[in-house]
Amino acid sequence: MFPLIIASLIPISCSQSSRNSDSFVISCGLSSNVGTDADGRKWRSDYRFLTSSTNTINSTAQSQDPSLPSQIPYMSARIFTSPTSYKFQVSPTNRLWLRLHFYPSEYSSLLPSQAYFSVSANDLTLLNNFSSFITAKALTQAYFIKEYSLVPIQSGELNITFTPSMQQNGYYAFINGIEIISMPEIFKPAILVPTDQFVDAGNLSMQTMFRLNVGGQYIAPTNDSGRLSRTWYDDTPYLFGAASGITFGADKNVSIQYPFDTPHYIAPLGVYSTARSMGQNASVNQNYNLTWVFHVDPNFTYIVRLHFCELLYTRINQRVFDIYVNNQTAQVTADVIAWAQSKGVPTYKDYATRVNDGPGDEELWVALHPSVSAKPEFYDAILNGLEVFKVSDNSGNLAGPNPIPSNELYENELANKFNPSKINPAPIIGGIAGGAVGVAFVVAVFFVFYRKKKQDYGNEVVANWLPTYGSSHFTNSKSVFSGKSTMGSSNLSYLRQGLCRHFSLQEIIVATKNFNNSQVIGVGGFGNVYKGVIDGGVTKVAIKRSNPSSEQGVMEFQTEIDMLSKLRHKHLVSLIGFCEENGEMILVYDHMANGTLREHLYRSNKPALPWKNRLEICIGAARGLHYLHTGAKFIIIHRDVKTTNILLDDKWVAKVSDFGLSKTGPNLHQTHVSTMVKGSFGYLDPEYFRRQQLTEKSDVYSFGVVLFEVLCARPALDPSLPKEQVSLADWALLCQRQGNLEGIIDPKLRGKINPQCLKKFSETAVKCLADHGAERPSMGDVLWNLEFALQLQENPGEGEHANAIAILDIEEGSTSSTTNELDDSSVVFSQIFEQKGR
Ligand SMILES: *[C@@H]1O[C@H](CO)[C@@H](O)[C@H](O)[C@H]1NC(C)=O
Ligand SMILES: *[C@@H]1O[C@H](CO)[C@@H](O)[C@H](O)[C@H]1NC(C)=O
Ligand SMILES: *[C@@H]1O[C@H](CO)[C@@H](O)[C@H](O)[C@H]1NC(C)=O
Ligand SMILES: *[C@@H]1O[C@H](CO)[C@@H](O)[C@H](O)[C@H]1NC(C)=O
Ligand SMILES: *[C@@H]1O[C@H](CO)[C@@H](O)[C@H](O)[C@H]1NC(C)=O
Ligand SMILES: *[C@@H]1O[C@H](CO)[C@@H](O)[C@H](O)[C@H]1NC(C)=O
Ligand SMILES: *[C@@H]1O[C@H](CO)[C@@H](O)[C@H](O)[C@H]1NC(C)=O
Ligand SMILES: *[C@@H]1O[C@H](CO)[C@@H](O)[C@H](O)[C@H]1NC(C)=O
Ligand SMILES: *[C@@H]1O[C@H](CO)[C@@H](O)[C@H](O)[C@H]1NC(C)=O
Ligand SMILES: *[C@@H]1O[C@H](CO)[C@@H](O)[C@H](O)[C@H]1NC(C)=O
Ligand SMILES: *[C@@H]1O[C@H](CO)[C@@H](O)[C@H](O)[C@H]1NC(C)=O
Ligand SMILES: *[C@@H]1O[C@H](CO)[C@@H](O)[C@H](O)[C@H]1NC(C)=O
């Protein structure tokens, strides 16, 4: 139902592509013969491949989304109003990659929402009733690429036909770019799980659904092996549950040798030299499955390709495991050394599985578990890479239905509960800043929606002001930390004696009036959240009751307590205690009387917050984040900083909520922070997409958006506004450049902000939004500058000298890249100002 697009942007070098008769790199609708993209690659015009020029025009997009990597091929398009074909002469013996590039936008006054069409390649249907507009919306990307692998075309003639849908008048078809690239045959028969039949993948055409470098990092198309220009993504977004094992890389002295039956073009070195395994603790490993979950279209057969390369052990029966595909045993006693003969030798296995169309069947599960019966030396499993391909069905079809864009996410984000009909989706595509092609991100988003749908959240959205970590990896694990693993080290009895309080079930029952529905203030995948009072009515609390469920749940519960109980700070929402009794898993948090920061800014009937309060709240939140980044044992990156995650207690003290946990696993390369792309639109660090690497500067970016939200009292994204204003970050930066920031500040604040204070505040916010993380200040610098802004508000006389220091400080911050260390001067100043300022 949700086709996942594996995108690749920089396939084979231009010289090769233009010379090789089998390779075509075509920019459709290009008005010149040849154009060059941002990577220096040459794209040819599509004219000489068109079989007919009636009912087709070339057109230029009327607007250029900032996230487009290059004007070519995206800004020009070929429009079709009746069925039209391209014809290419191809090698009759080679398998082909076919990549289709789409940028849904307004072309020649045709609306992007009117493009409904099918695409076929000879007899194979690639897309049907396809809306690139809906697809882009669901992916939250301005543009996207679909990748197919076609069996050799014996006639030597590839005919790609675009047919506008006939359902309604005015529907049209379009395409921006086409790549056709010869590839070696990389498929062979695969066992159909759970039968002993085979699927002869070698003579079937496929669509690439997922391609992951398990335990490793993003691999760009230019770094792929065999000039196949594939993109490999980090696997963390697909991991199921908190028990995600550990990642590691090949030791320097392990050299990876491709054997005869696994040529180097099967997968690059980067895939085989990193891996994920279950962890050190045999008893923990026996109690969980290392699991990846993918969302796929039903009614298709899929080829799941697993890449292995043992990096640590050398002998047979050291690491032996079972492989499950869709909960069926695909392989018992997998032993990589037995397959590959030696350490450092790559090998791969293909399994085919059928995904039917029934409730719960749109998922594809891949799970590993130690083979206890084989009595190996280590109860562990390993995986280095994973690919999923959709196989064309008997009728020569690869097309699935259009995805359903996540309304929940969308509405949640806009908080436009009061007038949903006003939401005009059209501008959002153009409006999302910095949304590059990030499949990982796409999936994270998708799961937010999908999980919600599946678990039937009903109409209620999780109470925004509560910490909602835990339960589902996809929706809730927001943060990562590097360093020692906490997995398996939770020890509730230790916590009981320590900071965390242990409640009896009876106490909880009294507090929640026996879990009476009238007390429910939030519903989530993890179960309900209740308000309650403890200590005889003295203390108000929020109580999260987990659904009594799997083993997985228990582990997450323990990890959550373990992590949270170590994070204590005035500006972080804190865990008061827990209850583990009778199979119940219950967490008790501070109650935040004044709700979220957002509801005090706009679209509510609450009185407007005075500027000084707003500043103090920003300072509090900055302190909380600064602590997460530098004060705890691990660097903790929040990943979802936004105004609904900043809560206010009854004294208006800001507390950051929803900071994270769940992600465990030491990394042998301690510098690597594994990324699970996660966050909210409008707040997302553009660099995070580009580099797929997470640093605390991503939080700084999001916090910059929060600062403007506080100043302007409008949402981070508001699609009802004219296009250039949709994204607050873009709009504020534009206004700042034009010297017109005053024009967009909250009308209720006009004339109430001291000009010097406003200058300091907006300079700070602008710095936070710097395109490159290294140019952004650290959270400590931000804190320092906000405190200084507060000073300027209260004592405007405090002149030029101090101001100069502040500017100097923020500029130093900007060059000091991603240091984790507390800037001493900022501590000192923040203390000075705290005493003076309040
Ligand atoms: C290309 O394919 C379409 C549909 O399969 C067919 O109608 C058309 O005649 C073909 N064109 C050529 C030139 O083979
Ligand atoms: C693939 O090969 C098998 C036998 O090798 C044959 O039965 C089948 O028809 C072939 N399928 C296609 C689509 O050519
Ligand atoms: C390709 O790999 C090299 C070395 O591993 C690295 O320096 C380079 O940045 C990579 N290129 C891309 C585009 O990621
Ligand atoms: C190679 O690495 C292994 C551990 O990964 C270590 O035990 C061994 O001593 C190393 N050998 C050399 C020659 O460095
Ligand atoms: C899957 O196939 C079944 C039976 O052929 C059909 O009823 C169902 O609509 C199909 N589902 C999709 C999503 O195409
Ligand atoms: C596999 O099993 C899990 C629970 O054990 C279930 O939630 C999931 O839906 C199953 N997946 C499939 C594809 O049947
Ligand atoms: C692992 O997955 C298999 C197949 O779904 C299932 O039978 C088994 O119970 C799972 N084991 C654990 C510990 O979850
Ligand atoms: C075409 O796609 C749209 C949007 O997903 C859907 O509403 C419509 O029912 C589809 N039409 C057909 C004939 O499948
Ligand atoms: C493994 O984990 C279990 C349960 O968490 C614990 O009791 C045991 O001490 C651990 N073993 C090792 C070797 O760490
Ligand atoms: C948990 O902590 C207690 C007290 O420190 C200790 O006695 C016990 O052995 C620990 N249990 C585990 C499984 O680590
Ligand atoms: C829940 O509370 C309401 C009033 O507070 C009461 O009328 C109702 O009976 C309670 N429900 C249950 C199931 O206890
Ligand atoms: C903030 O909390 C205080 C104390 O609970 C309460 O009196 C006040 O009405 C709240 N303000 C708003 C706007 O909710």
Side-chain angles (χ1 to χ4, degrees):
M1 189 162 141
F2 282 73
L4 244 293
I5 289 97
I6 296 293
S8 72
L9 294 174
I10 324 161
I12 64 175
S13 79
C14 36
S15 55
Q16 192 213 5
S17 58
S18 47
R19 253 185 261 133
N20 189 334
S21 64
D22 270 1
S23 294
F24 302 91
V25 181
I26 306 295
S27 175
C28 303
L30 194 66
S31 47
S32 57
N33 278 336
V34 179
T36 307
D37 69 14
D39 294 312
R41 186 163 174 231
K42 289 199 167 54
W43 295 70
R44 283 191 277 168
S45 147
D46 60 339
Y47 270 116
R48 65 190 194 86
F49 304 102
L50 271 175
T51 55
S52 148
S53 56
T54 49
N55 296 329
T56 157
I57 52 165
N58 49 351
S59 178
T60 303
Q62 296 191 345
S63 60
Q64 180 173 355
D65 188 273
S67 72
L68 289 184
S70 167
Q71 292 210 346
I72 290 176
Y74 297 105
M75 286 302 286
S76 67
R78 167 78 46 196
I79 312 282
F80 311 98
T81 52
S82 71
T84 310
S85 302
Y86 285 106
K87 206 156 81 181
F88 301 93
Q89 303 300 326
V90 296
S91 152
T93 52
N94 279 355
R95 196 175 255 278
L96 302 170
W97 285 132
L98 170 62
R99 299 195 178 103
L100 302 176
H101 297 247
F102 294 101
Y103 170 45
S105 178
E106 197 176 325
Y107 297 101
S108 304
S109 303
L110 292 165
L111 291 178
S113 55
Q114 293 288 98
Y116 271 93
F117 54 98
S118 62
V119 181
S120 63
N122 290 4
D123 295 333
L124 182 67
T125 304
L126 305 179
L127 295 165
N128 190 19
N129 183 37
F130 168 66
S131 168
S132 58
F133 174 72
I134 293 174
T135 306
K137 202 159 85 170
L139 298 175
T140 67
Q141 290 174 186
Y143 70 104
F144 57 90
I145 303 164
K146 297 221 157 208
E147 184 185 272
Y148 303 90
S149 173
L150 309 180
V151 289
I153 294 160
Q154 272 150 20
S155 67
E157 215 173 78
L158 171 60
N159 170 356
I160 301 178
T161 305
F162 291 82
T163 310
S165 172
M166 289 301 156
Q167 275 169 279
Q168 197 180 305
N169 264 346
Y171 281 171
Y172 66 97
F174 80 99
I175 179 77
N176 301 92
I178 301 175
E179 288 174 65
I180 299 164
I181 292 166
S182 274
M183 63 185 280
E185 181 57 76
I186 59 169
F187 297 104
K188 56 184 191 186
I191 297 171
L192 180 63
V193 176
T195 66
D196 53 4
Q197 294 170 340
F198 281 87
V199 171
D200 188 2
N203 65 1
L204 292 165
S205 294
M206 298 180 211
Q207 180 183 348
T208 310
M209 302 294 281
F210 305 92
R211 181 175 287 133
L212 308 178
N213 180 10
V214 175
Q217 288 183 327
Y218 170 78
I219 297 175
T222 43
N223 277 354
D224 192 24
S225 55
R227 299 188 153 224
L228 292 186
S229 57
R230 294 162 294 195
T231 309
W232 299 77
Y233 292 93
D234 174 11
D235 68 317
T236 34
Y238 307 90
L239 281 165
F240 175 79
S244 54
I246 60 172
T247 62
F248 58 100
D251 201 86
K252 278 196 192 67
N253 66 17
V254 178
S255 80
I256 291 180
Q257 306 283 345
Y258 285 91
F260 161 75
D261 60 354
T262 307
H264 70 286
Y265 55 72
I266 292 294
L269 216 58
V271 169
Y272 290 117
S273 59
T274 59
R276 186 179 294 279
S277 71
M278 299 186 75
Q280 317 284 343
N281 189 318
S283 61
V284 169
N285 292 355
Q286 283 181 63
N287 280 321
Y288 87 100
N289 283 346
L290 186 54
T291 307
W292 294 260
V293 180
F294 303 96
H295 189 78
V296 293
D297 297 332
N299 285 355
F300 282 99
T301 298
Y302 293 85
I303 304 283
V304 176
R305 170 166 294 184
L306 306 179
H307 297 267
F308 302 100
C309 183
E310 181 57 70
L311 302 172
L312 292 177
Y313 303 133
T314 52
R315 292 194 313 277
I316 287 177
N317 213 41
Q318 285 192 293
R319 189 192 318 246
V320 185
F321 52 97
D322 297 336
I323 302 170
Y324 304 100
V325 173
N326 260 352
N327 295 348
Q328 310 274 0
T329 305
Q331 178 84 53
V332 291
T333 61
D335 185 334
V336 178
I337 293 293
W339 285 337
Q341 311 298 335
S342 168
K343 177 165 118 174
V345 176
T347 185
Y348 66 95
K349 294 283 167 190
D350 290 346
Y351 304 97
T353 182
R354 172 89 193 155
V355 173
N356 290 318
D357 188 14
D361 278 347
E362 305 91 348
E363 284 180 349
L364 201 162
W365 288 52
V366 176
L368 308 179
H369 187 75
S371 274
V372 176
S373 60
K375 299 205 166 52
E377 189 176 339
F378 303 102
Y379 288 116
D380 200 355
I382 182 173
L383 187 64
N384 303 65
L386 202 165
E387 290 175 278
V388 178
F389 301 97
K390 175 163 75 174
V391 175
S392 63
D393 66 15
N394 291 338
S395 57
N397 179 46
L398 269 174
N402 286 317
I404 299 165
S406 160
N407 283 326
E408 292 223 30
L409 184 96
Y410 190 62
E411 279 162 21
N412 222 359
E413 187 48 49
L414 300 173
N416 205 344
K417 295 177 197 114
F418 305 102
N419 193 358
S421 63
K422 253 182 89 178
I423 297 176
N424 165 18
I428 199 164
I429 300 231
I432 292 164
V437 176
V439 166
F441 172 66
V442 164
V443 169
V445 168
F446 153 70
F447 270 107
V448 170
F449 161 68
Y450 179 66
R451 296 261 145 186
K452 283 190 171 174
K453 185 180 137 208
K454 271 223 147 155
Q455 294 171 354
D456 196 16
Y457 280 34
N459 294 327
E460 254 185 295
V461 178
V462 179
N464 271 333
W465 53 272
L466 277 164
T468 56
Y469 13 67
S471 76
S472 153
H473 180 81
F474 301 106
T475 52
N476 295 318
S477 45
K478 300 271 164 49
S479 301
V480 292
F481 52 90
S482 57
K484 188 182 154 287
S485 168
T486 55
M487 177 56 67
S489 69
S490 308
N491 185 335
L492 293 185
S493 59
Y494 133 74
L495 289 166
R496 272 171 204 131
Q497 304 155 2
L499 293 157
C500 217
R501 183 165 155 192
H502 184 212
F503 290 90
S504 70
L505 187 55
Q506 191 51 37
E507 281 175 281
I508 302 287
I509 285 172
V510 170
T512 57
K513 302 189 179 151
N514 196 18
F515 300 111
N516 192 317
N517 281 339
S518 65
Q519 301 292 107
V520 172
I521 47 178
V523 182
F526 45 81
N528 289 347
V529 180
Y530 302 83
K531 67 181 172 195
V533 284
I534 54 171
D535 302 338
V538 177
T539 314
K540 279 189 177 173
V541 291
I543 295 172
K544 183 168 118 181
R545 183 195 199 189
S546 298
N547 286 327
S549 56
S550 58
E551 192 74 16
Q552 216 83 36
V554 175
M555 281 207 158
E556 286 174 17
F557 179 69
Q558 298 195 345
T559 314
E560 182 160 354
I561 294 173
D562 197 24
M563 182 84 183
L564 277 181
S565 59
K566 288 175 191 152
L567 287 174
R568 304 243 154 218
H569 191 268
K570 183 180 174 199
H571 295 287
L572 300 179
V573 171
S574 51
L575 181 70
I576 293 178
F578 65 96
C579 165
E580 190 193 31
E581 201 176 308
N582 221 1
E584 293 275 359
M585 294 180 290
I586 292 167
L587 296 172
V588 181
Y589 301 96
D590 261 353
H591 181 260
M592 294 290 124
N594 274 319
T596 68
L597 170 56
R598 174 179 298 192
E599 69 201 57
H600 296 281
L601 292 175
Y602 50 86
R603 289 185 185 162
S604 78
N605 47 13
K606 305 258 164 77
L609 271 183
W611 177 240
K612 189 181 160 209
N613 284 34
R614 294 192 202 190
L615 260 179
E616 283 168 349
I617 288 165
C618 291
I619 290 169
R623 277 224 174 86
L625 290 171
H626 182 51
Y627 172 76
L628 285 180
H629 289 178
T630 61
K633 219 183 239 161
F634 315 111
I635 305 167
I636 295 162
I637 303 171
H638 187 293
R639 310 183 102 179
D640 202 9
V641 176
K642 53 182 176 180
T643 44
T644 45
N645 278 340
I646 297 173
L647 309 184
L648 303 169
D649 73 3
D650 54 349
K651 300 189 182 68
W652 299 98
V653 174
K655 309 223 176 199
V656 176
S657 83
D658 219 353
F659 49 90
L661 45 103
S662 292
K663 202 75 200 73
T664 58
N667 197 308
L668 297 189
H669 310 297
Q670 297 266 323
T671 53
H672 170 84
V673 178
S674 75
T675 72
M676 190 190 89
V677 188
K678 177 71 192 77
S680 299
F681 304 129
Y683 297 93
L684 274 171
D685 171 8
E687 191 175 55
Y688 190 6
F689 284 109
R690 286 197 301 266
R691 309 218 355 237
Q692 304 242 325
Q693 274 173 2
L694 187 69
T695 71
E696 59 274 34
K697 294 297 179 72
S698 301
D699 284 350
V700 173
Y701 182 92
S702 308
F703 192 70
V705 179
V706 166
L707 292 180
F708 275 121
E709 216 176 321
V710 166
L711 182 65
C712 306
R714 57 150 280 188
L717 269 192
D718 186 348
S720 65
L721 292 171
K723 188 180 149 114
E724 69 279 8
Q725 302 183 21
V726 169
S727 155
L728 174 59
D730 291 348
W731 179 230
L733 288 178
L734 184 68
C735 292
Q736 160 86 12
R737 274 198 299 275
Q738 295 172 345
N740 183 29
L741 206 53
E742 264 102 290
I744 64 167
I745 68 173
D746 184 358
K748 292 179 191 126
L749 293 176
R750 295 232 168 98
K752 294 187 178 148
I753 309 181
N754 174 286
Q756 278 180 312
C757 170
L758 177 61
K759 183 157 175 281
K760 177 92 301 215
F761 184 89
S762 53
E763 271 169 11
T764 308
V766 165
K767 289 269 184 189
C768 291
L769 296 182
D771 208 33
H772 296 284
E775 290 160 14
R776 292 172 207 148
S778 71
M779 218 53 227
D781 295 329
V782 173
L783 178 57
W784 195 98
N785 279 279
L786 291 176
E787 286 174 332
F788 188 66
L790 181 62
Q791 277 301 103
L792 290 172
Q793 178 69 19
E794 297 195 313
N795 306 302
E798 258 176 44
E800 306 302 301
H801 178 59
N803 195 19
I805 295 172
I807 289 165
L808 187 71
D809 182 74
I810 201 166
E811 264 150 19
E812 272 167 14
S814 71
T815 51
S816 68
S817 73
T818 56
T819 168
N820 310 323
E821 275 157 30
L822 203 56
D823 178 354
D824 285 343
S825 67
S826 64
V827 180
V828 172
F829 278 111
S830 92
Q831 281 161 358
I832 292 171
F833 279 123
E834 182 159 48
Q835 284 156 8
K836 247 165 108 185
R838 316 233 174 131

